[in-house]
Amino acid sequence: MKKIVKDSFEAVDRDKSGWISAKELENAMKLVAANSRTAPPSAEDVKGVMASLDKNKDGKISISEFEVLVRQTLQLIANAEEQANRGKKNLRLEESKREDPKTKGKKEERKENPNQPYVSPLRAMLKDNNAVKKLTKESFDSVDKDKSGSISLKELENAMKAVAAGSRSPPPNAKDIETLMAGLDKNKDGKLSLAEFETLVRQMIGMMAAAEEDSYQRKQKAEELNKSKSKDAPRAEAAPPPKKAK
């Protein structure tokens, strides 16, 4: 978990100051919105997220403050994936019954192209509208406890508290919940529709995909640098064989 938090934090902290400024947060949110094909965040959206994360109100986000967001995001995605996997299990069983016995159990070999940049599997999910909408619907239904077809402020509060408990992070306060609701509730009717909730799901998946790709690329660069250093390092000359005694 600590590595994921550190990699995600460093991906946003572009000037390597050890803090995330409001401008860096804005740039990250815009990038996530572009990658997840959602509307770019407004100044009010950025201000709301900054306010909810900046617990000590110093105008910047520390890595410990950022960790709360990452833990909650991972937990929410895990909860949604768990529900999605329940439906996929039955689908796989049906597919296995129709599978050709000659090819059953054989996996297709895939060759990686080292010249192509690494793309997170989550990125493929974002391009699959059906997969995103299915994941959104399952997540939405798990939060919409009264099955009203919309998520109320109380239901959002309960979901955020459950995510915080599951990710072992501090529970959100009333201000955090109101800020999140205000950022997602675009038509200002005091509740979240399925479409408004999809924005949150897409942004979370996009953020995790960007962090995973950034981490992989930095790891690859570090490995290439180490290989280059090992090649350039002077080799120790072999010691001459001992002279034979006369």
Side-chain angles (χ1 to χ4, degrees):
M1 174 60 74
K2 292 291 183 184
K3 186 177 185 305
I4 295 175
V5 173
K6 186 172 183 294
D7 290 341
S8 303
F9 185 87
E10 290 176 352
V12 180
D13 179 24
R14 291 297 181 182
D15 64 1
K16 307 307 175 189
S17 63
W19 307 92
I20 294 176
S21 65
K23 186 62 179 176
E24 287 172 329
L25 179 64
E26 178 184 358
N27 291 338
M29 290 178 67
K30 285 182 177 178
L31 178 62
V32 167
N35 289 334
S36 57
R37 293 184 291 181
T38 57
S42 65
E44 190 65 26
D45 293 335
V46 178
K47 184 179 178 182
V49 173
M50 173 63 81
S52 66
L53 294 177
D54 182 20
K55 297 301 182 184
N56 63 357
K57 308 305 175 187
D58 61 353
K60 52 190 178 182
I61 300 170
S62 67
I63 191 167
S64 60
E65 290 170 332
F66 188 74
E67 182 176 351
V68 174
L69 174 64
V70 175
R71 283 185 177 276
Q72 292 179 349
T73 299
L74 287 174
Q75 184 64 36
L76 190 56
I77 291 176
N79 291 346
E81 286 182 340
E82 183 180 354
Q83 293 179 24
N85 287 336
R86 292 173 186 171
K88 290 178 181 178
K89 185 177 180 180
N90 293 331
L91 180 61
R92 285 196 298 267
L93 287 173
E94 291 298 322
E95 289 177 345
S96 65
K97 293 177 183 178
R98 298 191 298 268
E99 192 174 357
D100 187 346
K102 294 180 180 179
T103 60
K104 191 173 183 179
K106 293 183 180 180
K107 293 183 179 180
E108 182 183 354
E109 293 184 1
R110 296 181 181 179
K111 295 181 180 179
E112 293 185 1
N113 186 347
N115 296 322
Q116 290 183 346
Y118 171 74
V119 178
S120 168
L122 293 172
R123 191 74 65 195
M125 179 187 289
L126 281 174
K127 293 180 180 179
D128 187 345
N129 278 330
N130 290 334
V132 173
K133 288 186 180 299
K134 186 173 184 296
L135 182 63
T136 300
K137 181 71 166 61
E138 288 165 344
S139 303
F140 185 89
D141 288 344
S142 69
V143 178
D144 180 23
K145 296 298 185 183
D146 63 2
K147 307 305 175 188
S148 63
S150 60
I151 295 175
S152 65
L153 182 63
K154 186 62 179 177
E155 287 173 328
L156 182 63
E157 177 186 356
N158 293 336
M160 289 180 68
K161 285 181 177 179
V163 168
S167 60
R168 293 182 294 177
S169 57
N173 56 38
K175 182 65 176 176
D176 295 334
I177 298 163
E178 290 172 3
T179 299
L180 181 60
M181 173 64 85
L184 295 174
D185 182 20
K186 297 302 182 183
N187 63 356
K188 307 304 176 187
D189 62 353
K191 53 190 178 183
L192 300 182
S193 65
L194 182 62
E196 289 169 334
F197 190 75
E198 183 178 337
T199 300
L200 174 63
V201 173
R202 284 186 175 276
Q203 288 178 348
M204 290 191 303
I205 296 174
M207 185 187 74
M208 298 311 300
E212 184 183 348
E213 290 165 354
D214 183 77
S215 173
Y216 182 89
Q217 289 168 6
R218 285 190 285 109
K219 182 181 178 182
Q220 289 294 99
K221 288 180 181 179
E223 289 178 353
E224 290 173 3
L225 183 60
N226 289 335
K227 287 180 182 179
S228 177
K229 286 181 178 179
S230 62
K231 288 180 181 179
D232 296 338
R235 296 182 180 179
E237 295 183 2
K243 294 182 179 179
K244 292 182 180 180
K246 295 182 180 179

